[in-house]
Every structure is written in structure tokens, then in C-alpha cells.
Amino acid sequence: GMNVLFIVVDDLRPVLGCYGDKLVKSPNIDQLASHSVVFSNAYAQQAVCAPSRVSFLTGRRPDSTRLYDFYSYWRVHAGNYSTMPQYFKENGYVTLSVGKVFHPGISSNYSDDYPHSWSVPPFHPSTEKYENDKTCRGKDGKLYANLVCPVDVTEMPSGTLPDIQSTEEAIRLMKVMKTNKQKFFLAVGYHKPHIPLRYPQEFLKLYPLENITLAPDPWVPEKLPSVAYNPWMDIRQRDDVEALNVSFPYGPLPHDFQRQIRQSYYAAVSYLDTQVGQLLDALDDVGLSNSTIVVFTADHGWSLGEHGEWAKYSNFDVATRVPLMFYVPGMTTSPVSRGERVFPYLDPFSHILGLVPQGQSKKVVELVSLFSTLAELAGLQVPPVCPETSFHVALCTEGSSIVRYFNASEEKVKEEKDGCDDTCRCSNEETVAFSQYPRPADTPQWNSDKPKLKDIRIMGYSMRTIDYRYTVWVRFNPNNFSADFEDVHAGELYMVETDPNQDYNIYNNTSHAWFL
């Protein structure tokens, strides 16, 4: 069977060359894409770290994990659900976690769900604890805890950064697995571009400030319901943003600072790209490129000033859409002969290749499908589909495998039409991604971004098809986890073709009968 290298990045929206971004330098991820099937319409189920990760690692939606915040462990609070790494472990794989895979803390039982999910205790870089310390040098030479934080790595504690340590450990583990001839599922969780935007300062050179624009729509849309807006509290708490004294909740941030944030986000993505590049180069080195499935994705996106918003915490595409690609030797790419390199390291300071994805699917897909998809790709039995209520079911999934879209070209669709079974899983089906986000009130509050379960009063349920995004904000009772779809506080409807940036909400000038 194949090994699995599962790369999950924190807060990475698809600003990548392989997704058509013209500004970014991401040659190594683009090279991976050139051997992969790339999904251009992949969405997270909730745009915040812990709920999204628990959702895709268990294959259940947030309404089943009952995790909308950071403060409960699903095995205790919802149901004793098996996870994707646990399933691989039970099927004879050595399962390994490096960096931020599960969200640390109570939501993974203070152990990253070890020993259920992992064969050995998960690795966390020793310098992770300095992430939010004052390590950013200001213009005055003093140290601050800034949002925008290019650093001299040699001045950092231990002379390194967490993602560099994670890459080193992942490479060490691959060598051990190769030596011991062990089949592995290795999950590598990178921190950047999560805030603070702390990265080696040389990456700024790739992005001269004069090339950096504002978001195409840096204003709060006129018809945006106030419940839908996230007031970006986490960035307001950074020293450099706090010094700007920006008004709550709408701001805006000064234009020059908006451009600096965007510049540093891009720089952090290029820094991440070098880490991914080194990791994949090492996969070649140990001779495992022809026997390892590589998955690359993120837990959710991050708004860069669109709609006057920053960070995640919303139902917009900028917050929910993620990169998603699968490299499957012999399936997405022709088999590699011995010694041939698939992933030679590419230096972003010199390589501007413009590699295109091997195959691209526009199907709308969800991260909750990862569990069943990886099981199928690895040749394991695909977990059954969950029944309507599944709190009592340990192994089932709410996301069906997307392997059937891997080579769904238009010609094939016509042939398949006759062979459709009842569930009509054929390539011509209309696909939908569901996301949701909780709010404490109808108007932006200090805790609107991350309300605790007990404070949730409204849930925004959102569906994204190829043609539109439709969201209803409905009354939610946190005591019995019930949503009342009769009590709609606000709604949003954006048509993708005429309004790709989701700026013109046409919910109120539409009849909604056709959605029901």
C-alpha cells in the first residue's frame, strides 16, 4: 500500500501560482500541483482552526462534532468518533503528527488525540512557545508582538522558527520509516501564514511594496447584514495594529498598513513554500516519491481586506475556500523510474516557472470529504456514510469520497449518465459545499469572531455551489444545539458569475422558494 504525506497549512487561502495568483512566488507548491489533481473549489466547514480541523480529521460536520469554539473534546462532548489517522493506524500504518495538525488544547484532549490517532506522541517544535512573544523589532529598535513581523532568524530563540523545526523533524521521520520499511501516514502541520506574520525577513524582497495593491473591494458592502461581519479582534490585539487606534467594529485600517499586511502575508506564503519544497525534496531523496500519496490543503482561508474584513471567522469564500491537491503516483502522474526526481527543490528567489496543475477540477468539494477520499486512495475500505444522527456511531463519514472527480473530463460524463445508480454519484451531479459560522448577536461584538458555545445565539449556515453562495443566519440554541430555520435573522445571496468577490447581496430582491 501507499504511504500518505498529509500537509495541512494554517490559514492559507489559495494565493498560489497554481491557483492563478500572479503576484505570489510559490514554485514548490506549484511543482507539486503540476503532478497533482487540483481542486479549485474546495471549502472548509467552519472558518476557524479547531472546528475545521476536528471536522476534517473525523469526517463529521461541526453540527456532529458539536465543536464551534475551542473548548470541548468531541469524544466526550459529542461521540467517540474515529479519526482519519486512527483509521490508518488500525489498518497497519505508523501514524505520525508533526507541528499543528489537531488544534492543541482541550479540543484534542491536551494530547493531539494521542494515543487514539497517533502511533507515537506528536511532535511540537520547541520554539512554538515564542510565537506570540515580543520578537519583532520596531523602528525604534525595541521588541514588539506585532502582526507584521519580518525577522532575522539568527536573532530568534534557538536561532530557528517553528516551521523550520517541523520540516527537519518530518524529514527525520521519513528517513526512519524508510530504514524500518514501515508504511506511514505522516501529517505535517505548518503554522505560517497564521498570524503573527513572522517569517525570515529576506522574503520581503520578493514583494516590493509598490507592487502591492489593496483588496479589490476594501469597503464594507452596503447590503452586508451586520451579523455576517467579523470585526477581526485578533489582529487588533497585536502591538502594531493597536497603536493605530482603529475604530470598532468596521475600522478601516489605514491603506498603507493594509498593503503591509498583504505584503507580509505573501512573504509568509513564500517562506512556507520553501518549507514544503524542502519536505518534498527529501521525499525524493529517501526514494519514496513513487510510493507516497501527497495531500496539500489548509484548515481555512484568511481575508486580506476584502469587505473591510481581516482574518477568518466568516462565511465568505475568502475565509472558507482552501487549496486542495492530491498527488497519487501512477494515477495523477505517470510512474517514476528509480532515481528520477519528481520534486527537486526550487528556490523562489530564482525560479519563476509558471507550472500548471496536472489536472484541475472545478467541482465544489468539502474538506469533510478528506477522510473517505484518502481511505479510497490508499486502498482501504471507505468508511460508511453516517446515518441521519450519528452520535452513537464510531466509524462513519459525512463527506463522500471525491476520487470519482479525479479524471472527470466532459466526455466521460456522457457515458456515465446511463450507468447512474440511485444515489446518482456521477460526474454531472450538482455539487455543494456547506460551511457555517456562529455569532453571539446580530451586530458585531468583541466576541463575534470566536463566541464560546454558551454565548452562541445565531448560526450562519452557508451553501456554495458553482453558481452562487447562499447564507441564512438563523436562531441557534446552544443548550440543545438546535437551529430554528423558521427564525431567519438575515440572509445573503451572491451570484458567482456577476459578483465573484461577493460584494452585492441580492438576498432581499429574490424569491427564495427555489432553494427549499
Side-chain angles (χ1 to χ4, degrees), residues 341-486:
R341 298 192 77 83
V342 189
F343 303 120
Y345 178 76
L346 303 173
D347 179 354
F349 293 91
S350 54
H351 278 89
I352 306 307
L353 283 175
L355 288 164
V356 293
Q358 171 68 30
Q360 201 150 14
S361 172
K362 291 197 162 48
K363 288 284 176 201
V364 175
V365 296
E366 308 174 291
L367 289 185
V368 76
S369 294
L370 276 169
F371 190 162
S372 44
T373 303
L374 276 177
E376 182 174 344
L377 289 174
L380 306 180
Q381 197 170 354
V382 177
V385 175
C386 292
E388 188 70 36
T389 35
S390 63
F391 297 108
H392 57 290
V393 185
L395 179 66
C396 69
T397 168
E398 295 180 27
S400 49
S401 167
I402 60 175
V403 175
R404 63 189 188 281
Y405 303 141
F406 274 33
N407 32 18
S409 65
E410 295 312 305
E411 293 73 50
K412 291 215 179 87
V413 174
K414 305 208 175 18
E415 297 156 19
E416 277 178 23
K417 237 181 153 120
D418 315 324
C420 248
D421 57 12
D422 295 337
T423 52
C424 198
R425 290 253 172 106
C426 296
S427 302
N428 58 338
E429 73 197 289
E430 172 78 49
T431 53
V432 183
F434 294 98
S435 302
Q436 62 193 92
Y437 212 87
R439 294 285 187 232
D442 285 300
T443 54
Q445 310 294 317
W446 65 272
N447 64 337
S448 287
D449 294 347
K450 295 189 271 196
K452 289 187 171 166
L453 175 64
K454 67 176 175 49
D455 297 323
I456 297 172
R457 294 293 174 270
I458 301 162
M459 188 70 74
Y461 287 95
S462 194
M463 59 188 278
R464 174 65 155 80
T465 71
I466 203 80
D467 298 315
Y468 62 83
R469 178 173 286 287
Y470 176 69
T471 306
V472 283
W473 297 88
V474 302
R475 187 170 64 119
F476 184 84
N477 181 343
N479 302 316
N480 61 4
F481 300 91
S482 66
D484 180 3
F485 284 86
E486 304 290 291

Side-chain angles (χ1 to χ4, degrees), residues 115-126:
H116 299 287
S117 287
W118 312 107
S119 306
V120 298
F123 170 86
H124 285 280
S126 62

Side-chain angles (χ1 to χ4, degrees), residues 293-345:
I293 295 163
V294 182
V295 191
F296 179 88
T297 192
D299 54 357
H300 45 70
W302 211 79
S303 184
L304 286 165
E306 295 85 1
H307 320 114
E309 292 180 296
W310 300 89
K312 45 244 184 185
Y313 318 121
S314 82
N315 278 321
F316 283 116
D317 281 11
V318 283
T320 54
R321 185 169 170 241
V322 293
L324 178 63
M325 60 189 81
F326 298 87
Y327 162 80
V328 188
M331 181 180 182
T332 64
T333 184
S334 46
V336 188
S337 52
R338 281 188 77 81
E340 191 189 333
R341 298 192 77 83
V342 189
F343 303 120
Y345 178 76

Side-chain angles (χ1 to χ4, degrees), residues 32-33 68 84 144 179 281 363 399 511:
L32 172 63
Y68 312 109
M84 173 166 57
Y144 294 94
T179 308
D281 186 63
K363 288 284 176 201
S511 148

Side-chain angles (χ1 to χ4, degrees), residues 141-335:
K142 294 199 188 100
L143 291 175
Y144 294 94
N146 286 342
L147 169 61
V148 172
C149 185
V151 296
D152 178 345
V153 178
T154 60
E155 288 180 5
M156 291 299 103
S158 310
T160 188
L161 291 169
D163 287 341
I164 297 171
Q165 290 184 294
S166 291
T167 302
E168 289 164 354
E169 176 65 7
I171 291 171
R172 188 188 73 80
L173 287 169
M174 288 194 302
K175 290 175 179 160
V176 171
M177 291 297 107
K178 170 72 173 183
T179 308
N180 299 350
K181 297 188 170 52
Q182 286 175 297
K183 203 166 53 165
F184 63 84
F185 177 103
L186 169 59
V188 182
Y190 285 115
H191 282 265
K192 294 303 106 175
H194 191 287
I195 70 166
L197 299 171
R198 189 168 76 114
Y199 54 86
Q201 59 198 15
E202 58 270 23
F203 288 95
L204 270 179
K205 290 196 199 78
L206 294 171
Y207 302 103
L209 204 49
E210 60 269 23
N211 297 353
I212 308 291
T213 60
L214 297 180
D217 52 347
W219 56 84
V220 180
E222 193 189 331
K223 294 189 172 165
L224 179 70
S226 55
V227 69
Y229 186 82
N230 73 282
W232 32 280
M233 285 302 292
D234 57 354
I235 76 164
R236 291 172 190 269
Q237 286 150 9
R238 313 300 306 180
D239 292 347
D240 51 353
V241 180
E242 202 171 5
L244 297 168
N245 225 341
V246 181
S247 72
F248 181 89
Y250 297 111
L253 288 170
H255 284 185
D256 59 335
F257 194 77
Q258 292 195 32
R259 289 170 54 217
Q260 283 176 41
I261 298 176
R262 290 169 63 91
Q263 175 191 38
S264 272
Y265 188 90
Y266 275 84
V269 171
S270 290
Y271 160 56
L272 162 78
D273 183 78
T274 61
Q275 298 308 303
V276 173
Q278 289 168 39
L279 183 64
L280 294 173
D281 186 63
L283 189 70
D284 268 353
D285 277 346
V286 292
L288 292 172
S289 299
N290 56 357
S291 56
T292 303
I293 295 163
V294 182
V295 191
F296 179 88
T297 192
D299 54 357
H300 45 70
W302 211 79
S303 184
L304 286 165
E306 295 85 1
H307 320 114
E309 292 180 296
W310 300 89
K312 45 244 184 185
Y313 318 121
S314 82
N315 278 321
F316 283 116
D317 281 11
V318 283
T320 54
R321 185 169 170 241
V322 293
L324 178 63
M325 60 189 81
F326 298 87
Y327 162 80
V328 188
M331 181 180 182
T332 64
T333 184
S334 46

